[in-house]
Amino acid sequence: MAILIVILVLVVIIGIYVVMYNGLVQLRVHSQESWSQIDVQLQRRNDLIPNLVSTVKGYSKFEASTLAKVTELRTALNNVPDDDHAKKMEVSNQLTGTLRTLFAVSENYPDLKASAEYQQLMEELSNTENKIAYSRQLYNSTVAALNAKIQSFPSNIVAKLHHFTQIDYLQVPESAKAAPKVSFDD
């Protein structure tokens, strides 16, 4: 009888261990998949940029340096190694800021603003920016769940044995935290 109890206890312990390990693996895979979703949306945005730049060039004599900066940042984003998430998001945030400047151009060029092609590109870029924001939230939520499991007892023991490490959250750049200045003075 004692042997049966020992075997039963061992089976339960092994079962709990397997469940904890599989939970950690699933969360790690989910965090990788959620990063992949961010990467897909960044690539989608990068694919739309040449069309936007071309459309804007056709309608305006907008400052060439802004168009060059958009193109430069797009190229830089494509050249960041896939595993350097922090650098990829840093360049992406810079690109977002430069795109905002480019979007403001439409206010000065009514023909551009009325262009169906420009409107479609703006809508697609806006949707893509929203998807990037959602994907960042999903990534951070998944990372939070994984990090919590890595720190929580008893799964922290399993995590340490199998070399699971915490993942960094995606951070909002300080420049994006500043309140925009709105002025109604002309």
Side-chain angles (χ1 to χ4, degrees):
M1 184 59 124
I3 294 175
L4 188 59
I5 292 173
V6 168
I7 291 173
L8 183 61
V9 168
L10 283 176
V11 168
V12 168
I13 290 172
I14 290 171
I16 291 170
Y17 184 90
V18 167
V19 167
M20 283 188 276
Y21 176 78
N22 287 341
L24 287 164
V25 169
Q26 286 176 347
L27 285 171
R28 182 175 56 193
V29 168
H30 285 271
S31 69
Q32 292 166 344
E33 188 258 342
S34 61
W35 172 257
S36 178
Q37 290 301 320
I38 292 171
D39 218 22
V40 165
Q41 294 308 320
L42 293 177
Q43 185 59 50
R44 176 176 157 71
R45 179 176 63 186
N46 282 352
D47 292 343
L48 290 169
I49 287 172
N51 295 330
L52 179 66
V53 168
S54 177
T55 302
V56 171
K57 276 183 183 176
Y59 278 91
S60 70
K61 295 172 181 56
F62 187 60
E63 186 180 336
S65 65
T66 301
L67 295 174
K69 184 74 173 171
V70 167
T71 304
E72 172 191 320
L73 287 170
R74 177 184 176 266
T75 301
L77 189 59
N78 284 335
N79 292 332
V80 173
D82 287 337
D83 61 343
D84 192 348
H85 299 175
K87 182 68 175 172
K88 191 164 269 208
M89 290 316 303
E90 177 187 331
V91 174
S92 173
N93 290 335
Q94 291 173 5
L95 182 57
T96 296
T98 306
L99 282 172
R100 284 187 189 129
T101 303
L102 191 60
F103 295 162
V105 158
S106 66
E107 298 304 316
N108 296 327
Y109 297 92
D111 290 343
L112 173 61
K113 200 159 108 175
S115 163
E117 182 181 4
Y118 179 79
Q119 288 178 346
Q120 180 184 358
L121 285 169
M122 291 300 294
E123 185 174 328
E124 286 185 41
L125 274 170
S126 178
N127 289 340
T128 301
E129 290 294 329
N130 288 338
K131 289 176 184 177
I132 290 169
Y134 173 77
S135 296
R136 284 178 173 188
Q137 290 172 339
L138 177 62
Y139 177 81
N140 279 345
S141 294
T142 306
V143 166
L146 176 62
N147 289 349
K149 216 167 198 19
I150 288 172
Q151 295 175 37
S152 301
F153 181 80
S155 59
N156 64 340
I157 297 168
V158 176
K160 187 171 270 191
L161 287 172
H162 293 282
H163 308 289
F164 282 87
T165 57
Q166 292 190 53
I167 300 173
D168 293 331
Y169 294 101
L170 294 177
Q171 302 293 324
V172 175
E174 288 301 317
S175 61
K177 293 178 183 177
K181 299 204 185 312
V182 178
S183 175
F184 295 106
D185 299 330
D186 286 283

